[in-house]
Amino acid sequence: MSNISLEIRIKKILEELYPSIKLTIHIEKYISNIHTFFVKFPSEAALTKDWENLSNSIAVYYQSQLPDEFEIWNLYLFYITDSNADKHLKYRIENDTVSSRKILLTYDREINDEFITSIVEEHITNKNLKLLPPEKRSDAQKTEFERNPLLWQVIEQSGIIEDKKGVVKSSAVLELLEQKIKDEIQKS
């Protein structure tokens, strides 16, 4: 059975079982396929009533048909409401580990490709992260390096730099460091 027919089949099943929801299925091509369901509920009451059964329906009719372990264990359900849901309900949903990762979002507009892309990047692929080296970060805290005299003494005594090639005798360093730490503990 192809993914397209599987998607059409689950969409039809879910829309018949839960006629008040708006459902969008998105498959993100990553290492393999990551299956995401965006389910918009008309109210918090509908979410409270149906989230668990909907999750079970997806597990039975869709997840069980996926071709490999990666796809089976990389299924995400994004439950969406127009306004903030009760924090206890959010906790219960997001900490339910049966079959899939579940995330509760507040979003009062129509689910479109831009929204899906931003949510997938934020919660799954982390493509939205901007990682800069510390010296280029405007908010980076600049601190000067201060060498530890105890560690420096151990390094000097160990002969860590044996020659111009910088060969390290790690066992000697560890032995000396261990002895210095024991000596410091006994002094205390």
Side-chain angles (χ1 to χ4, degrees), residues 54-93:
L54 188 131
S55 172
N56 293 337
S57 297
I58 291 170
V60 169
Y61 297 113
Y62 187 83
Q63 190 173 25
S64 65
Q65 304 301 309
L66 294 175
D68 60 51
E69 291 291 315
F70 183 89
E71 290 188 42
I72 289 169
W73 292 109
N74 281 284
L75 184 111
Y76 290 77
L77 306 181
F78 293 97
Y79 294 137
I80 304 162
T81 57
D82 286 341
S83 59
N84 289 332
D86 174 70
K87 67 181 178 180
H88 299 292
L89 177 62
K90 180 177 175 74
Y91 179 85
R92 190 166 155 230
I93 290 170

Side-chain angles (χ1 to χ4, degrees), residues 120-133:
V120 168
E121 285 180 357
E122 180 180 347
H123 292 279
I124 302 172
T125 64
N126 294 318
K127 290 179 184 176
N128 64 327
L129 293 179
K130 305 283 189 267
L131 300 178
L132 297 173

Side-chain angles (χ1 to χ4, degrees), residues 93-104:
I93 290 170
E94 291 187 346
N95 286 282
D96 178 62
T97 58
V98 176
S99 81
S100 59
R101 175 80 164 94
K102 298 159 198 76
I103 300 169
L104 182 56

Side-chain angles (χ1 to χ4, degrees), residues 133-146:
E135 65 275 3
K136 291 193 176 186
R137 286 189 226 147
S138 61
D139 63 340
Q141 186 178 18
K142 309 269 189 224
T143 57
E144 293 296 320
F145 173 77
E146 295 178 29

